[in-house]
mmCIF file of all heavy atoms in Angstrom:
data_model
loop_
_atom_site.group_PDB
_atom_site.id
_atom_site.type_symbol
_atom_site.label_atom_id
_atom_site.label_comp_id
_atom_site.label_asym_id
_atom_site.label_seq_id
_atom_site.Cartn_x
_atom_site.Cartn_y
_atom_site.Cartn_z
ATOM 1 N N CYS A 1 103.347 43.433 -34.069
ATOM 2 C CA CYS A 1 104.420 42.693 -33.395
ATOM 3 C C CYS A 1 104.014 42.123 -32.054
ATOM 4 O O CYS A 1 104.707 41.253 -31.514
ATOM 5 C CB CYS A 1 105.645 43.591 -33.221
ATOM 6 S SG CYS A 1 106.186 44.356 -34.760
ATOM 7 N N SER A 2 102.920 42.567 -31.470
ATOM 8 C CA SER A 2 102.460 42.034 -30.191
ATOM 9 C C SER A 2 101.353 40.994 -30.364
ATOM 10 O O SER A 2 100.679 40.633 -29.389
ATOM 11 C CB SER A 2 101.966 43.165 -29.283
ATOM 12 O OG SER A 2 100.931 43.897 -29.903
ATOM 13 N N SER A 3 101.165 40.493 -31.569
ATOM 14 C CA SER A 3 100.065 39.562 -31.854
ATOM 15 C C SER A 3 100.128 38.304 -31.002
ATOM 16 O O SER A 3 99.095 37.772 -30.575
ATOM 17 C CB SER A 3 100.066 39.188 -33.335
ATOM 18 O OG SER A 3 99.805 40.308 -34.152
ATOM 19 N N SER A 4 101.342 37.793 -30.735
ATOM 20 C CA SER A 4 101.473 36.566 -29.944
ATOM 21 C C SER A 4 100.872 36.738 -28.556
ATOM 22 O O SER A 4 100.072 35.916 -28.097
ATOM 23 C CB SER A 4 102.946 36.169 -29.801
ATOM 24 O OG SER A 4 103.497 35.786 -31.032
ATOM 25 N N LEU A 5 101.285 37.803 -27.870
ATOM 26 C CA LEU A 5 100.791 38.009 -26.514
ATOM 27 C C LEU A 5 99.319 38.416 -26.503
ATOM 28 O O LEU A 5 98.588 38.085 -25.556
ATOM 29 C CB LEU A 5 101.654 39.045 -25.777
ATOM 30 C CG LEU A 5 102.750 38.451 -24.881
ATOM 31 C CD1 LEU A 5 103.707 37.587 -25.680
ATOM 32 C CD2 LEU A 5 103.496 39.537 -24.129
ATOM 33 N N TYR A 6 98.875 39.115 -27.529
ATOM 34 C CA TYR A 6 97.449 39.425 -27.623
ATOM 35 C C TYR A 6 96.634 38.139 -27.777
ATOM 36 O O TYR A 6 95.561 37.993 -27.179
ATOM 37 C CB TYR A 6 97.181 40.366 -28.803
ATOM 38 C CG TYR A 6 97.086 41.823 -28.391
ATOM 39 C CD1 TYR A 6 98.201 42.501 -27.903
ATOM 40 C CD2 TYR A 6 95.888 42.512 -28.460
ATOM 41 C CE1 TYR A 6 98.130 43.837 -27.517
ATOM 42 C CE2 TYR A 6 95.786 43.846 -28.073
ATOM 43 C CZ TYR A 6 96.919 44.495 -27.603
ATOM 44 O OH TYR A 6 96.824 45.822 -27.205
ATOM 45 N N ALA A 7 97.139 37.189 -28.559
ATOM 46 C CA ALA A 7 96.451 35.904 -28.729
ATOM 47 C C ALA A 7 96.420 35.137 -27.407
ATOM 48 O O ALA A 7 95.397 34.534 -27.050
ATOM 49 C CB ALA A 7 97.150 35.082 -29.805
ATOM 50 N N ILE A 8 97.530 35.165 -26.676
ATOM 51 C CA ILE A 8 97.570 34.495 -25.378
ATOM 52 C C ILE A 8 96.590 35.147 -24.411
ATOM 53 O O ILE A 8 95.901 34.463 -23.639
ATOM 54 C CB ILE A 8 98.997 34.524 -24.801
ATOM 55 C CG1 ILE A 8 99.922 33.642 -25.656
ATOM 56 C CG2 ILE A 8 99.017 34.049 -23.351
ATOM 57 C CD1 ILE A 8 101.382 33.718 -25.262
ATOM 58 N N ALA A 9 96.497 36.474 -24.444
ATOM 59 C CA ALA A 9 95.568 37.187 -23.557
ATOM 60 C C ALA A 9 94.130 36.783 -23.836
ATOM 61 O O ALA A 9 93.329 36.571 -22.906
ATOM 62 C CB ALA A 9 95.738 38.694 -23.718
ATOM 63 N N VAL A 10 93.784 36.661 -25.117
ATOM 64 C CA VAL A 10 92.422 36.243 -25.475
ATOM 65 C C VAL A 10 92.151 34.840 -24.952
ATOM 66 O O VAL A 10 91.118 34.585 -24.311
ATOM 67 C CB VAL A 10 92.234 36.303 -27.006
ATOM 68 C CG1 VAL A 10 90.909 35.673 -27.406
ATOM 69 C CG2 VAL A 10 92.296 37.736 -27.505
ATOM 70 N N ALA A 11 93.085 33.917 -25.195
ATOM 71 C CA ALA A 11 92.909 32.536 -24.735
ATOM 72 C C ALA A 11 92.875 32.458 -23.213
ATOM 73 O O ALA A 11 92.067 31.718 -22.629
ATOM 74 C CB ALA A 11 94.044 31.672 -25.293
ATOM 75 N N PHE A 12 93.746 33.209 -22.560
ATOM 76 C CA PHE A 12 93.822 33.237 -21.099
ATOM 77 C C PHE A 12 92.482 33.658 -20.505
ATOM 78 O O PHE A 12 91.957 33.033 -19.567
ATOM 79 C CB PHE A 12 94.931 34.211 -20.691
ATOM 80 C CG PHE A 12 95.206 34.278 -19.211
ATOM 81 C CD1 PHE A 12 95.990 33.335 -18.583
ATOM 82 C CD2 PHE A 12 94.688 35.321 -18.453
ATOM 83 C CE1 PHE A 12 96.250 33.414 -17.220
ATOM 84 C CE2 PHE A 12 94.937 35.409 -17.095
ATOM 85 C CZ PHE A 12 95.725 34.455 -16.474
ATOM 86 N N ASN A 13 91.896 34.708 -21.059
ATOM 87 C CA ASN A 13 90.610 35.203 -20.562
ATOM 88 C C ASN A 13 89.464 34.252 -20.891
ATOM 89 O O ASN A 13 88.513 34.136 -20.112
ATOM 90 C CB ASN A 13 90.330 36.594 -21.129
ATOM 91 C CG ASN A 13 91.271 37.647 -20.560
ATOM 92 O OD1 ASN A 13 91.653 37.577 -19.405
ATOM 93 N ND2 ASN A 13 91.666 38.612 -21.383
ATOM 94 N N TYR A 14 89.534 33.578 -22.042
ATOM 95 C CA TYR A 14 88.525 32.568 -22.370
ATOM 96 C C TYR A 14 88.498 31.478 -21.304
ATOM 97 O O TYR A 14 87.437 31.035 -20.847
ATOM 98 C CB TYR A 14 88.836 31.935 -23.731
ATOM 99 C CG TYR A 14 88.370 32.735 -24.927
ATOM 100 C CD1 TYR A 14 88.817 32.411 -26.202
ATOM 101 C CD2 TYR A 14 87.477 33.791 -24.800
ATOM 102 C CE1 TYR A 14 88.401 33.120 -27.328
ATOM 103 C CE2 TYR A 14 87.059 34.508 -25.909
ATOM 104 C CZ TYR A 14 87.521 34.168 -27.169
ATOM 105 O OH TYR A 14 87.102 34.872 -28.275
ATOM 106 N N ILE A 15 89.669 31.007 -20.921
ATOM 107 C CA ILE A 15 89.753 29.907 -19.953
ATOM 108 C C ILE A 15 89.303 30.372 -18.569
ATOM 109 O O ILE A 15 88.535 29.688 -17.880
ATOM 110 C CB ILE A 15 91.183 29.335 -19.911
ATOM 111 C CG1 ILE A 15 91.530 28.665 -21.252
ATOM 112 C CG2 ILE A 15 91.337 28.320 -18.777
ATOM 113 C CD1 ILE A 15 92.966 28.198 -21.365
ATOM 114 N N LEU A 16 89.773 31.545 -18.139
ATOM 115 C CA LEU A 16 89.391 32.046 -16.820
ATOM 116 C C LEU A 16 87.888 32.299 -16.711
ATOM 117 O O LEU A 16 87.288 32.084 -15.661
ATOM 118 C CB LEU A 16 90.144 33.336 -16.510
ATOM 119 C CG LEU A 16 91.620 33.212 -16.139
ATOM 120 C CD1 LEU A 16 92.172 34.573 -15.726
ATOM 121 C CD2 LEU A 16 91.836 32.203 -15.019
ATOM 122 N N SER A 17 87.277 32.753 -17.792
ATOM 123 C CA SER A 17 85.844 33.065 -17.768
ATOM 124 C C SER A 17 84.977 31.826 -17.933
ATOM 125 O O SER A 17 83.758 31.906 -17.773
ATOM 126 C CB SER A 17 85.517 34.067 -18.883
ATOM 127 O OG SER A 17 85.723 33.479 -20.161
ATOM 128 N N GLY A 18 85.581 30.700 -18.272
ATOM 129 C CA GLY A 18 84.818 29.479 -18.483
ATOM 130 C C GLY A 18 84.261 29.334 -19.879
ATOM 131 O O GLY A 18 83.491 28.408 -20.149
ATOM 132 N N ARG A 19 84.640 30.233 -20.771
ATOM 133 C CA ARG A 19 84.114 30.165 -22.136
ATOM 134 C C ARG A 19 84.650 28.948 -22.880
ATOM 135 O O ARG A 19 84.000 28.420 -23.771
ATOM 136 C CB ARG A 19 84.465 31.444 -22.893
ATOM 137 C CG ARG A 19 83.816 31.537 -24.258
ATOM 138 C CD ARG A 19 84.017 32.888 -24.896
ATOM 139 N NE ARG A 19 83.430 32.952 -26.220
ATOM 140 C CZ ARG A 19 83.477 34.015 -27.010
ATOM 141 N NH1 ARG A 19 84.072 35.120 -26.586
ATOM 142 N NH2 ARG A 19 82.931 33.997 -28.213
ATOM 143 N N CYS A 20 85.860 28.519 -22.526
ATOM 144 C CA CYS A 20 86.400 27.282 -23.103
ATOM 145 C C CYS A 20 87.252 26.588 -22.052
ATOM 146 O O CYS A 20 87.607 27.180 -21.026
ATOM 147 C CB CYS A 20 87.210 27.552 -24.379
ATOM 148 S SG CYS A 20 88.751 28.435 -24.098
ATOM 149 N N GLU A 21 87.564 25.330 -22.298
ATOM 150 C CA GLU A 21 88.287 24.528 -21.316
ATOM 151 C C GLU A 21 89.801 24.709 -21.439
ATOM 152 O O GLU A 21 90.508 24.860 -20.446
ATOM 153 C CB GLU A 21 87.921 23.049 -21.507
ATOM 154 C CG GLU A 21 86.421 22.771 -21.339
ATOM 155 C CD GLU A 21 86.013 21.460 -21.963
ATOM 156 O OE1 GLU A 21 86.904 20.712 -22.410
ATOM 157 O OE2 GLU A 21 84.798 21.171 -21.996
ATOM 158 N N GLU A 22 90.284 24.685 -22.668
ATOM 159 C CA GLU A 22 91.711 24.798 -22.949
ATOM 160 C C GLU A 22 91.859 25.570 -24.254
ATOM 161 O O GLU A 22 90.866 25.920 -24.893
ATOM 162 C CB GLU A 22 92.352 23.402 -23.049
ATOM 163 C CG GLU A 22 92.215 22.608 -21.752
ATOM 164 C CD GLU A 22 92.668 21.161 -21.898
ATOM 165 O OE1 GLU A 22 92.913 20.715 -23.045
ATOM 166 O OE2 GLU A 22 92.775 20.470 -20.868
ATOM 167 N N ALA A 23 93.102 25.834 -24.656
ATOM 168 C CA ALA A 23 93.292 26.634 -25.869
ATOM 169 C C ALA A 23 94.594 26.274 -26.565
ATOM 170 O O ALA A 23 95.613 26.018 -25.915
ATOM 171 C CB ALA A 23 93.267 28.121 -25.548
ATOM 172 N N ILE A 24 94.525 26.264 -27.881
ATOM 173 C CA ILE A 24 95.717 26.189 -28.716
ATOM 174 C C ILE A 24 96.033 27.615 -29.153
ATOM 175 O O ILE A 24 95.199 28.281 -29.771
ATOM 176 C CB ILE A 24 95.481 25.296 -29.939
ATOM 177 C CG1 ILE A 24 95.274 23.845 -29.501
ATOM 178 C CG2 ILE A 24 96.643 25.395 -30.924
ATOM 179 C CD1 ILE A 24 94.807 22.930 -30.611
ATOM 180 N N VAL A 25 97.214 28.094 -28.800
ATOM 181 C CA VAL A 25 97.633 29.445 -29.166
ATOM 182 C C VAL A 25 98.847 29.322 -30.088
ATOM 183 O O VAL A 25 99.847 28.708 -29.727
ATOM 184 C CB VAL A 25 97.995 30.286 -27.933
ATOM 185 C CG1 VAL A 25 98.323 31.717 -28.352
ATOM 186 C CG2 VAL A 25 96.857 30.281 -26.925
ATOM 187 N N ALA A 26 98.740 29.881 -31.272
ATOM 188 C CA ALA A 26 99.802 29.737 -32.265
ATOM 189 C C ALA A 26 100.146 31.093 -32.863
ATOM 190 O O ALA A 26 99.350 32.037 -32.819
ATOM 191 C CB ALA A 26 99.368 28.768 -33.373
ATOM 192 N N ALA A 27 101.345 31.173 -33.406
ATOM 193 C CA ALA A 27 101.773 32.394 -34.101
ATOM 194 C C ALA A 27 102.836 32.012 -35.114
ATOM 195 O O ALA A 27 103.592 31.049 -34.909
ATOM 196 C CB ALA A 27 102.321 33.419 -33.122
ATOM 197 N N GLY A 28 102.882 32.761 -36.214
ATOM 198 C CA GLY A 28 103.862 32.425 -37.242
ATOM 199 C C GLY A 28 104.242 33.619 -38.089
ATOM 200 O O GLY A 28 103.490 34.597 -38.206
ATOM 201 N N ASN A 29 105.433 33.517 -38.663
ATOM 202 C CA ASN A 29 105.901 34.543 -39.595
ATOM 203 C C ASN A 29 106.868 33.894 -40.576
ATOM 204 O O ASN A 29 107.880 33.319 -40.167
ATOM 205 C CB ASN A 29 106.604 35.672 -38.850
ATOM 206 C CG ASN A 29 106.951 36.834 -39.755
ATOM 207 O OD1 ASN A 29 106.071 37.435 -40.364
ATOM 208 N ND2 ASN A 29 108.245 37.156 -39.864
ATOM 209 N N LEU A 30 106.538 33.930 -41.848
ATOM 210 C CA LEU A 30 107.427 33.437 -42.897
ATOM 211 C C LEU A 30 107.708 34.579 -43.874
ATOM 212 O O LEU A 30 106.783 35.258 -44.327
ATOM 213 C CB LEU A 30 106.801 32.261 -43.659
ATOM 214 C CG LEU A 30 106.623 30.951 -42.890
ATOM 215 C CD1 LEU A 30 106.053 29.882 -43.818
ATOM 216 C CD2 LEU A 30 107.929 30.471 -42.277
ATOM 217 N N CYS A 31 108.975 34.791 -44.188
ATOM 218 C CA CYS A 31 109.381 35.872 -45.106
ATOM 219 C C CYS A 31 109.461 35.309 -46.526
ATOM 220 O O CYS A 31 110.495 34.775 -46.936
ATOM 221 C CB CYS A 31 110.720 36.449 -44.661
ATOM 222 S SG CYS A 31 110.718 37.083 -42.975
ATOM 223 N N LEU A 32 108.374 35.414 -47.259
ATOM 224 C CA LEU A 32 108.279 34.796 -48.583
ATOM 225 C C LEU A 32 108.254 35.810 -49.721
ATOM 226 O O LEU A 32 108.349 35.416 -50.881
ATOM 227 C CB LEU A 32 107.004 33.932 -48.651
ATOM 228 C CG LEU A 32 106.863 32.858 -47.570
ATOM 229 C CD1 LEU A 32 105.514 32.159 -47.698
ATOM 230 C CD2 LEU A 32 107.994 31.841 -47.672
ATOM 231 N N ASN A 33 108.134 37.086 -49.403
ATOM 232 C CA ASN A 33 107.962 38.094 -50.436
ATOM 233 C C ASN A 33 108.976 39.225 -50.227
ATOM 234 O O ASN A 33 108.962 39.910 -49.198
ATOM 235 C CB ASN A 33 106.524 38.650 -50.392
ATOM 236 C CG ASN A 33 106.166 39.430 -51.632
ATOM 237 O OD1 ASN A 33 106.983 40.191 -52.143
ATOM 238 N ND2 ASN A 33 104.952 39.240 -52.119
ATOM 239 N N LEU A 34 109.845 39.432 -51.193
ATOM 240 C CA LEU A 34 110.889 40.451 -51.065
ATOM 241 C C LEU A 34 110.322 41.857 -50.946
ATOM 242 O O LEU A 34 110.953 42.747 -50.361
ATOM 243 C CB LEU A 34 111.833 40.377 -52.269
ATOM 244 C CG LEU A 34 112.729 39.131 -52.349
ATOM 245 C CD1 LEU A 34 113.550 39.157 -53.628
ATOM 246 C CD2 LEU A 34 113.641 39.053 -51.140
ATOM 247 N N THR A 35 109.135 42.069 -51.494
ATOM 248 C CA THR A 35 108.524 43.396 -51.413
ATOM 249 C C THR A 35 108.299 43.810 -49.954
ATOM 250 O O THR A 35 108.433 44.985 -49.602
ATOM 251 C CB THR A 35 107.178 43.410 -52.168
ATOM 252 O OG1 THR A 35 107.396 43.015 -53.515
ATOM 253 C CG2 THR A 35 106.552 44.796 -52.139
ATOM 254 N N MET A 36 107.991 42.845 -49.105
ATOM 255 C CA MET A 36 107.790 43.156 -47.695
ATOM 256 C C MET A 36 109.076 43.675 -47.064
ATOM 257 O O MET A 36 109.053 44.619 -46.266
ATOM 258 C CB MET A 36 107.311 41.900 -46.954
ATOM 259 C CG MET A 36 105.931 41.418 -47.367
ATOM 260 S SD MET A 36 104.641 42.621 -47.006
ATOM 261 C CE MET A 36 104.760 42.701 -45.229
ATOM 262 N N ASN A 37 110.201 43.063 -47.409
ATOM 263 C CA ASN A 37 111.489 43.541 -46.885
ATOM 264 C C ASN A 37 111.753 44.981 -47.312
ATOM 265 O O ASN A 37 112.247 45.805 -46.530
ATOM 266 C CB ASN A 37 112.623 42.644 -47.367
ATOM 267 C CG ASN A 37 112.574 41.264 -46.750
ATOM 268 O OD1 ASN A 37 111.824 41.032 -45.803
ATOM 269 N ND2 ASN A 37 113.367 40.355 -47.274
ATOM 270 N N VAL A 38 111.434 45.287 -48.565
ATOM 271 C CA VAL A 38 111.637 46.644 -49.081
ATOM 272 C C VAL A 38 110.769 47.637 -48.311
ATOM 273 O O VAL A 38 111.228 48.726 -47.931
ATOM 274 C CB VAL A 38 111.324 46.704 -50.589
ATOM 275 C CG1 VAL A 38 111.390 48.144 -51.088
ATOM 276 C CG2 VAL A 38 112.285 45.818 -51.370
ATOM 277 N N GLN A 39 109.526 47.256 -48.046
ATOM 278 C CA GLN A 39 108.616 48.159 -47.343
ATOM 279 C C GLN A 39 109.103 48.426 -45.911
ATOM 280 O O GLN A 39 109.068 49.568 -45.431
ATOM 281 C CB GLN A 39 107.203 47.561 -47.309
ATOM 282 C CG GLN A 39 106.547 47.435 -48.680
ATOM 283 C CD GLN A 39 106.104 48.784 -49.237
ATOM 284 O OE1 GLN A 39 106.498 49.840 -48.760
ATOM 285 N NE2 GLN A 39 105.282 48.745 -50.275
ATOM 286 N N PHE A 40 109.569 47.392 -45.222
ATOM 287 C CA PHE A 40 110.078 47.588 -43.863
ATOM 288 C C PHE A 40 111.355 48.430 -43.872
ATOM 289 O O PHE A 40 111.578 49.243 -42.969
ATOM 290 C CB PHE A 40 110.337 46.232 -43.197
ATOM 291 C CG PHE A 40 109.133 45.648 -42.525
ATOM 292 C CD1 PHE A 40 108.393 44.648 -43.138
ATOM 293 C CD2 PHE A 40 108.735 46.093 -41.275
ATOM 294 C CE1 PHE A 40 107.281 44.103 -42.521
ATOM 295 C CE2 PHE A 40 107.618 45.546 -40.642
ATOM 296 C CZ PHE A 40 106.886 44.552 -41.273
ATOM 297 N N PHE A 41 112.173 48.242 -44.896
ATOM 298 C CA PHE A 41 113.402 49.032 -44.993
ATOM 299 C C PHE A 41 113.065 50.513 -45.199
ATOM 300 O O PHE A 41 113.675 51.399 -44.589
ATOM 301 C CB PHE A 41 114.286 48.512 -46.118
ATOM 302 C CG PHE A 41 115.619 49.197 -46.207
ATOM 303 C CD1 PHE A 41 116.641 48.862 -45.329
ATOM 304 C CD2 PHE A 41 115.855 50.183 -47.149
ATOM 305 C CE1 PHE A 41 117.868 49.498 -45.391
ATOM 306 C CE2 PHE A 41 117.078 50.827 -47.227
ATOM 307 C CZ PHE A 41 118.092 50.477 -46.341
ATOM 308 N N ARG A 42 112.072 50.761 -46.058
ATOM 309 C CA ARG A 42 111.651 52.140 -46.297
ATOM 310 C C ARG A 42 111.033 52.768 -45.051
ATOM 311 O O ARG A 42 111.089 53.988 -44.864
ATOM 312 C CB ARG A 42 110.653 52.185 -47.455
ATOM 313 C CG ARG A 42 111.288 51.931 -48.818
ATOM 314 C CD ARG A 42 110.238 51.843 -49.900
ATOM 315 N NE ARG A 42 110.847 51.712 -51.225
ATOM 316 C CZ ARG A 42 110.168 51.477 -52.343
ATOM 317 N NH1 ARG A 42 108.835 51.336 -52.284
ATOM 318 N NH2 ARG A 42 110.775 51.383 -53.502
ATOM 319 N N LEU A 43 110.459 51.939 -44.199
ATOM 320 C CA LEU A 43 109.891 52.430 -42.944
ATOM 321 C C LEU A 43 110.988 52.872 -41.983
ATOM 322 O O LEU A 43 110.731 53.627 -41.046
ATOM 323 C CB LEU A 43 109.026 51.335 -42.296
ATOM 324 C CG LEU A 43 108.199 51.703 -41.072
ATOM 325 C CD1 LEU A 43 107.177 52.794 -41.400
ATOM 326 C CD2 LEU A 43 107.509 50.467 -40.519
ATOM 327 N N GLY A 44 112.217 52.403 -42.232
ATOM 328 C CA GLY A 44 113.356 52.826 -41.430
ATOM 329 C C GLY A 44 113.624 51.988 -40.201
ATOM 330 O O GLY A 44 114.324 52.436 -39.279
ATOM 331 N N VAL A 45 113.098 50.742 -40.172
ATOM 332 C CA VAL A 45 113.274 49.921 -38.974
ATOM 333 C C VAL A 45 114.266 48.777 -39.175
ATOM 334 O O VAL A 45 114.650 48.119 -38.199
ATOM 335 C CB VAL A 45 111.917 49.335 -38.511
ATOM 336 C CG1 VAL A 45 110.974 50.454 -38.103
ATOM 337 C CG2 VAL A 45 111.294 48.465 -39.593
ATOM 338 N N LEU A 46 114.696 48.521 -40.406
ATOM 339 C CA LEU A 46 115.618 47.413 -40.656
ATOM 340 C C LEU A 46 117.064 47.877 -40.553
ATOM 341 O O LEU A 46 117.411 48.998 -40.938
ATOM 342 C CB LEU A 46 115.372 46.811 -42.037
ATOM 343 C CG LEU A 46 114.031 46.113 -42.269
ATOM 344 C CD1 LEU A 46 114.057 45.369 -43.599
ATOM 345 C CD2 LEU A 46 113.697 45.159 -41.128
ATOM 346 N N SER A 47 117.906 46.989 -40.036
ATOM 347 C CA SER A 47 119.318 47.294 -39.874
ATOM 348 C C SER A 47 120.028 47.251 -41.225
ATOM 349 O O SER A 47 119.871 46.286 -41.986
ATOM 350 C CB SER A 47 119.967 46.286 -38.926
ATOM 351 O OG SER A 47 121.370 46.401 -38.942
ATOM 352 N N SER A 48 120.821 48.256 -41.518
ATOM 353 C CA SER A 48 121.587 48.289 -42.768
ATOM 354 C C SER A 48 122.814 47.388 -42.702
ATOM 355 O O SER A 48 123.422 47.084 -43.722
ATOM 356 C CB SER A 48 122.021 49.730 -43.066
ATOM 357 O OG SER A 48 122.799 50.246 -41.993
#
């Protein structure tokens, strides 16, 4: 769940260190598989 900020941290450090000039930072989540919903529900984190 912290992947977005971890990606920004990597890009941020790349730019500060001079490893690259600029950065495209992207993140995405699409719910396409019902099995994933079942697994998260079984984990106990989804609202009933």
Side-chain angles (χ1 to χ4, degrees):
C1 307
S2 58
S3 296
S4 293
L5 263 59
Y6 263 67
I8 292 174
V10 171
F12 184 81
N13 291 325
Y14 278 167
I15 294 174
L16 285 186
S17 66
R19 187 172 178 181
C20 68
E21 300 161 7
E22 299 172 350
I24 294 170
V25 184
N29 187 59
L30 292 183
C31 303
L32 305 176
N33 194 319
L34 291 177
T35 303
M36 294 297 297
N37 291 348
V38 174
Q39 295 287 15
F40 274 101
F41 185 78
R42 288 174 175 173
L43 188 61
V45 296
L46 294 190
S47 169
S48 58

